[in-house]
């Protein structure tokens, strides 16, 4: 039975999603849990391969549950959680169409980059957000965000390290929204939410850096525009740290878990 999982994880202590020879990975932990719970190995396919240190609130994956195992699809989550470490949890499980593939079937994915503005580190925010010492101008950040929407060649907004057939991607929306932290509301910050058809290596982290630097005036909007046009990575700033990035959701055009795709 093809089984879909909705998974959340704290990426801090992982070497990323994909199984590797010498490193702890999310895929590896899920595959070990499946074997421990059901007695047979099954490969797990994820909607995207998050990098080391990147978190997920709504990673979708699927695997083939061996024939003859008597368990309702909704209870698979409980069986796996009993075998998983505390930094990975299956939030929901469900039967999926046999042709469903969490990666190839995905229509959209949304990532969130979290930033807080402070002269000093806040230990209650540091695990899932990145400190930015300057307070940016929201209007300028919004201008850069709008620039990055649409279908473009995002060569300048990617790092080397992956082989792809094309660097053209469609970004459906880039939203910059302010937040105050939940620990008393003393530390302001922003969420940068990017929804697209797919992403290049480090693309969202580089986009977030460009938006923030446009907001502080360090990166002129014209330079970001030129980078997008020419593919010149040198026109942009550094790649932002992994810990600020969270995979929020993957969308498939139909509900997998018995409800509308979650916000």
């Amino acid at each position: 039975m093809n089984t879909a999982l909705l998974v959340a994880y704290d990426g801090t202590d992982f070497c990323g999603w994909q199984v590797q020879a010498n490193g702890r990975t999310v895929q590896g932990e899920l595959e070990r849990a499946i074997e421990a719970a059901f007695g047979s190995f099954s490969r797990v396919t994820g909607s995207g391969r998050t990098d080391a240190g990147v978190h997920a609130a709504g990673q979708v994956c699927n695997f083939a549950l061996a024939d003859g195992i008597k368990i309702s699809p909704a209870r698979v989550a409980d069986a796996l959680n009993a075998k998983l470490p505390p930094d990975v949890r299956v939030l929901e499980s469900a039967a999926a169409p046999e042709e469903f593939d969490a990666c190839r079937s995905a229509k959209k994915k949304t990532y969130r980059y979290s930033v807080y503005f402070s002269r000093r580190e806040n230990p209650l925010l540091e695990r899932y957000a990145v400190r930015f010492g300057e307070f940016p101008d929201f209007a300028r950040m919004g201008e850069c965000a709008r620039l990055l929407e649409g279908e473009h060649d995002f060569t300048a907004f990617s790092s080397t390290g992956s082989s792809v057939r094309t660097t053209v991607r469609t970004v459906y929306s880039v939203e910059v929204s302010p937040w105050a932290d939940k620990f008393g509301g003393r530390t302001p910050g922003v969420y940068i939410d990017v929804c697209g058809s797919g992403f290049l290596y480090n693309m969202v982290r580089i986009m977030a850096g460009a938006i923030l630097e446009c907001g502080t005036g360090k990166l002129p909007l014209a330079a970001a525009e030129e980078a997008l046009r020419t593919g010149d990575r040198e026109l942009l700033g550094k790649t932002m740290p992994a810990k600020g990035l969270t995979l929020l959701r993957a969308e498939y055009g139909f509900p997998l878990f018995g409800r509308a795709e979650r916000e």
Side-chain angles (χ1 to χ4, degrees):
M1 178 177 64
N2 195 11
T3 304
L5 306 175
L6 182 67
V7 179
Y9 49 86
D10 179 331
T12 304
D13 297 324
F14 286 104
C15 296
W17 163 266
Q18 188 173 15
V19 166
Q20 49 187 271
N22 299 303
R24 181 172 179 255
T25 68
V26 181
Q27 184 186 28
E29 293 289 0
L30 286 167
E31 291 174 354
R32 275 189 286 274
I34 290 168
E35 190 163 12
F38 302 119
S40 61
F41 174 82
S42 186
R43 177 64 72 198
V44 176
T45 298
S47 66
R49 298 175 180 178
T50 52
D51 295 329
V54 175
H55 317 291
Q59 171 75 284
V60 176
C61 41
N62 71 290
F63 74 99
L65 185 65
D67 293 338
I69 295 175
K70 298 186 182 300
I71 186 173
S72 71
R75 295 300 301 276
V76 169
D78 296 323
L80 295 182
N81 285 335
K83 305 296 183 181
L84 285 166
D87 49 0
V88 187
R89 280 293 177 267
V90 180
L91 304 180
E92 294 190 59
S93 56
E98 285 307 308
E99 68 276 10
F100 175 77
D101 180 288
C103 182
R104 292 196 297 266
S105 301
K107 304 297 185 185
K108 297 179 182 179
K109 284 179 274 190
T110 301
Y111 283 87
R112 167 170 288 174
Y113 202 86
S114 302
V115 185
Y116 72 96
F117 306 116
S118 176
R119 290 176 56 201
R120 301 177 181 88
E121 289 185 357
N122 184 328
L124 298 181
L125 299 176
E126 273 293 305
R127 197 171 182 91
Y128 306 111
V130 171
R131 184 181 68 85
F132 204 72
E134 300 177 64
F135 201 96
D137 180 276
F138 271 61
R140 288 202 296 259
M141 291 176 71
E143 289 177 358
C144 185
R146 297 291 81 74
L147 173 69
L148 299 175
E149 292 178 335
E151 183 180 86
H152 304 286
D153 185 333
F154 282 96
T155 297
F157 291 83
S158 64
S159 299
T160 58
S162 65
S163 56
V164 292
R165 286 181 295 177
T166 175
T167 51
V168 174
R169 296 291 185 273
T170 299
V171 171
Y172 299 111
S173 64
V174 183
E175 298 179 1
V176 182
S177 55
W179 56 273
D181 79 271
K182 58 189 174 183
F183 304 105
R186 296 185 178 89
T187 308
V190 293
Y191 295 133
I192 301 172
D193 291 353
V194 184
C195 176
S197 60
F199 298 95
L200 302 171
Y201 185 45
N202 287 341
M203 179 172 157
V204 177
R205 290 161 61 185
I206 296 170
M207 290 173 70
I211 290 169
L212 288 161
E213 291 199 342
C214 274
T216 61
K218 291 182 178 178
L219 178 70
L221 187 64
E225 193 170 15
E226 181 72 3
L228 195 62
R229 186 182 66 82
T230 64
D232 187 353
R233 176 72 180 86
E234 297 300 316
L235 291 170
L236 303 174
K238 64 181 181 180
T239 301
M240 296 293 287
K243 66 179 181 177
L245 188 62
T246 300
L247 172 59
L248 283 188
R249 59 184 173 269
E251 299 175 62
Y252 296 92
F254 59 91
L256 273 170
F257 302 102
R259 65 189 66 180
E261 287 163 336
R262 56 198 60 240
E263 294 298 318

